[in-house]
Amino acid sequence: MHNAYEVIPGTIYNIIQESPLIRTLQIRPEIPIEFQTGQFVELSLPGIGEGPFTPSSSHYTSEVMDITIMKTGFVTEYIHKTSIGDIVGIRGPYGSKYPLEKFHNKDILILGGGCGLAPLRSLFLTLLHDIDQYNSITFLAGAKSPKDCIYKELFSEWKKYKKVNIYRSVDIVPEGESWDEEICLVTKLLQKIKIDPKENPVIVCGPPVMMKFGTMDLLKYGYNENNIYLSMEKKMYCGFGQCRHCVIGGYYACKDGPVFTYAQIKNEEAIWE
Ligand SMILES: Cc1cc2nc3c(=O)[nH]c(=O)nc-3n(C[C@H](O)[C@H](O)[C@H](O)COP(=O)(O)OP(=O)(O)OC[C@H]3O[C@@H](n4cnc5c(N)ncnc54)[C@H](O)[C@@H]3O)c2cc1C
């Protein structure tokens, strides 16, 4: 295990333009970086800055790492200008992981939208690796419009797996774009599932508004607040509980999270902001 404070240089060996604002960098670090799905790393560009991102690849692949990045501001704008062969820095991993052992023999539900699908892709690929351990995986994935959908080819491929159910939705289909799946908010897809909510886990990641209303709906459907796992992408810098930018009440999102159960944080202030 390498020193988690050290920045490991990595070479971008491929770039997938997933949507106009989202791209996946495929990176080969100089030394393998082991992580557990759900954890995040700090990705840096020399002379520009760094930001927290969750790997979107399986935790079973440590020689290469995929990171899916949405262009939102200063650092991510520069990250979107990188090319194959460029060097980036990676430090970490940091934070909490998805508790896979609690998912054994369960019907797992994954609910995500937008760039929130990044950690869920990592989770899904990791679950697929050990698919015999799980009863079923149902993945509900949303995007604003067809052109904003990411992992398009992967979703078509994943549908072919036994034990896997995939439902996708877009909020709108603008003129000139085509779509043959659902048109609704991703949380509406919950109406399609036939999972017993009482004992089964659900993992949620997406824009704050989706996380909030998704969680409220899951509670209404009967999911237990201890089985609702949320990836909290709070603004953070250091990654290990020193700078205090990511405080959620009594927790640091970077050190105690980013994966929390709803039961853990439900009484903290402003969790959806
Ligand atoms: C644990 C964790 C995992 C994340 N994983 C991913 C991922 O896999 N893919 C991805 O695209 N993004 C991810 N993010 C969000 C990503 O870190 C920010 O979008 C990025 O750091 C913004 O940097 P910037 O300099 O381009 O934006 P800035 O110029 O700093 O700000 C632009 C906008 O982004 C918002 N922003 C800035 N920093 C963060 C932050 N840390 N979290 C959320 N919003 C932020 C600002 O409020 C502002 O609205 C993650 C965040 C966390 C905390």
Side-chain angles (χ1 to χ4, degrees):
M1 178 79 176
H2 72 277
N3 172 0
Y5 301 108
E6 186 188 345
V7 176
I8 312 287
T11 307
I12 301 174
Y13 70 91
N14 193 28
I15 296 173
I16 304 166
Q17 193 68 43
E18 307 276 4
S19 77
L21 288 180
I22 300 179
R23 55 169 21 191
T24 298
L25 302 186
Q26 298 191 295
I27 301 164
R28 186 167 287 110
E30 258 178 22
I31 55 169
I33 300 179
E34 288 184 8
F35 70 99
Q36 294 295 309
T37 184
Q39 290 189 296
F40 70 96
V41 296
E42 288 281 342
L43 179 78
S44 54
L45 275 187
I48 302 295
E50 67 172 4
F53 300 94
T54 39
S56 52
S57 43
S58 160
H59 75 198
Y60 286 111
T61 57
S62 54
E63 283 82 17
V64 289
M65 183 180 277
D66 294 352
I67 303 188
T68 301
I69 295 166
M70 182 156 80
K71 195 186 332 181
T72 55
F74 183 76
V75 174
T76 48
E77 170 112 37
Y78 276 92
I79 293 176
H80 270 247
K81 289 182 184 157
T82 54
S83 311
I84 292 173
D86 285 352
I87 306 289
V88 295
I90 300 175
R91 64 181 173 93
Y94 302 114
S96 58
K97 62 189 179 81
Y98 294 119
L100 299 184
E101 60 295 342
K102 293 193 178 164
F103 302 168
H104 288 172
N105 303 314
K106 302 284 186 195
D107 292 303
I108 302 164
L109 177 62
I110 300 176
L111 171 65
C115 207
L117 294 177
L120 301 178
R121 176 186 187 246
S122 168
L123 171 69
F124 185 78
L125 290 170
T126 305
L127 295 173
L128 269 192
H129 185 273
D130 300 319
I131 190 77
D132 291 345
Q133 309 259 32
Y134 311 105
N135 277 357
S136 68
I137 311 171
T138 302
F139 200 150
L140 312 182
K144 270 193 209 134
S145 72
K147 75 167 172 8
D148 300 307
C149 286
I150 65 174
Y151 309 143
K152 295 181 187 78
E153 286 85 22
L154 287 178
F155 275 113
S156 319
E157 196 185 308
W158 293 340
K159 277 186 177 163
K160 296 177 194 150
Y161 281 85
K162 247 171 45 188
K163 293 192 174 189
V164 170
N165 304 299
I166 302 223
Y167 300 97
R168 294 195 306 159
S169 69
V170 293
D171 299 350
I172 49 159
V173 181
E175 241 183 82
E177 292 185 40
S178 66
W179 181 250
D180 56 9
E181 296 183 53
E182 302 297 325
I183 305 173
C184 60
L185 294 176
V186 65
T187 47
K188 273 263 164 69
L189 294 176
L190 288 170
Q191 292 171 357
K192 291 195 161 286
I193 61 161
K194 294 182 181 69
I195 299 174
D196 177 2
K198 286 197 195 71
E199 301 294 334
N200 286 304
V202 51
I203 303 94
V204 188
C205 191
V209 65
M210 188 229 105
M211 305 260 288
K212 176 178 176 180
F213 290 105
T215 303
M216 298 308 129
D217 284 352
L218 289 163
L219 292 168
K220 270 189 238 149
Y221 277 85
Y223 272 90
N224 184 313
E225 58 189 32
N226 289 296
N227 294 333
I228 301 177
Y229 295 91
L230 306 167
S231 291
M232 302 303 287
E233 297 195 350
K234 287 278 166 188
K235 220 168 175 178
M236 58 177 70
Y237 295 100
C238 72
F240 42 83
Q242 292 300 307
C243 77
R244 305 169 66 91
H245 275 92
C246 65
V247 166
I248 305 180
Y251 298 105
Y252 292 109
C254 68
K255 201 158 62 85
D256 306 309
V259 179
F260 291 99
T261 62
Y262 179 62
Q264 265 180 295
I265 55 170
K266 66 173 186 180
N267 294 324
E268 306 297 350
E269 262 179 56
I271 59 171
W272 306 118
E273 285 172 11

